[in-house]
Amino acid sequence: MQIVFFFFLLMVTSIDPTTLSPNSTVVLNPGIGQDEICSKEIYEWSLTLKHELQKKFPQLHIVLSRGMYEKINQKQIASACNHINPDLFISLHISKNFQTTISIYSYLQNPTTDYWNTEKNSLTLIPTDKSHSSYTKVSRHLTETLTSLLKKQYPHAAWYGIPFRPLHGIHAPAFAIELSVTRPNEWRSYTPSLIKNLSSLIEPESLTL
């Protein structure tokens, strides 16, 4: 049996990833929904977040990972994201359910070793399945902060640290937001609160461990 390991080569800088600023680069990843209608809603939600955040922070550079009808796999998304080297990666998802909930995910593969300090200040060869580990702590910090803020309005908001596939291979602070909805366009009711609370993550020097 032939085993193939995938790596990517990355120049890791010494910039503090726990601090975001209005000059940051953010990648929004519109996930693929359960059907075409759901996928369109996710894309529209992503565009809305992009436009509203850029109204508040004109210097914020926000990139969508794909076009509305573009179909790319997770390896391609991770490769493109890592080439951009963003300050933050946010994956957006909507699922149909019998009750409305909001879940925040950070990528956690191993609860012990993922928290070991693996950051390097040189040209580093990193296995794809370990690419998240350099930012495990800050990603958890971001998700816990966002979840805490959302709970003030949505008590059912919850954070999960799991190997969430849409975050696999991302070498940046990253988290995912998933809305479970009961009716079409229900994401609109969440948008003002999400804009407000995401904005709190972008304020200068607001995120220090």
Side-chain angles (χ1 to χ4, degrees):
M1 180 189 301
Q2 184 179 16
I3 301 176
V4 180
F5 295 94
F6 293 100
F7 295 83
F8 63 89
L9 197 61
L10 183 70
M11 177 65 77
V12 180
T13 67
S14 59
I15 295 175
D16 180 7
T18 65
T19 301
L20 299 175
S21 78
N23 297 311
S24 297
T25 296
V26 178
V27 173
L28 294 181
N29 176 50
I32 302 299
Q34 295 161 295
D35 53 41
E36 186 176 347
I37 294 176
C38 190
S39 293
K40 287 182 178 179
E41 286 193 15
I42 296 171
Y43 199 84
E44 187 177 356
W45 178 33
S46 303
L47 281 177
T48 301
L49 290 178
K50 179 179 187 292
H51 293 155
E52 292 300 318
L53 285 172
Q54 287 187 319
K55 281 183 184 178
K56 299 191 70 171
F57 305 101
Q59 292 178 297
L60 189 67
H61 182 50
I62 303 180
V63 180
L64 294 185
S65 65
R66 64 176 181 86
M68 179 178 287
Y69 301 106
E70 188 177 9
K71 294 183 179 180
I72 54 178
N73 60 39
Q74 182 57 30
K75 184 178 178 182
Q76 292 171 312
I77 291 172
S79 178
C81 172
N82 296 335
H83 180 74
I84 294 172
N85 193 26
D87 300 289
L88 180 62
F89 177 92
I90 305 175
S91 194
L92 301 168
H93 306 270
I94 295 175
S95 62
K96 298 176 182 178
N97 211 324
F98 296 106
Q99 61 181 359
T100 301
T101 61
I102 180 168
S103 302
I104 314 296
Y105 301 93
S106 61
Y107 194 95
L108 189 62
Q109 194 170 51
N110 186 304
T112 301
T113 61
D114 279 6
Y115 288 103
W116 292 353
N117 183 14
T118 57
E119 191 64 85
K120 304 290 191 301
N121 290 318
S122 60
L123 196 62
T124 306
L125 192 64
I126 303 175
T128 301
D129 64 348
K130 296 296 182 183
S131 57
H132 66 282
S133 59
S134 296
Y135 296 99
T136 299
K137 291 181 181 179
V138 67
S139 293
R140 176 167 181 169
H141 179 67
L142 289 167
T143 54
E144 289 183 335
T145 300
L146 181 60
T147 303
S148 177
L149 292 169
L150 288 169
K151 275 183 174 293
K152 295 176 182 178
Q153 185 171 352
Y154 305 107
H156 58 269
W159 165 78
Y160 302 94
I162 61 173
F164 195 63
R165 183 167 177 76
L167 300 177
H168 181 261
I170 304 298
H171 188 82
F175 59 84
I177 303 173
E178 182 180 47
L179 302 180
S180 293
V181 300
T182 59
R183 63 182 187 273
N185 293 313
E186 195 171 0
W187 61 269
R188 296 183 186 277
S189 65
Y190 283 93
T191 299
S193 179
L194 281 170
I195 294 296
K196 176 184 176 181
N197 292 312
L198 286 172
S199 295
S200 71
L201 303 183
I202 300 170
E203 293 294 344
E205 301 179 357
S206 65
L207 297 174
T208 54
L209 294 178

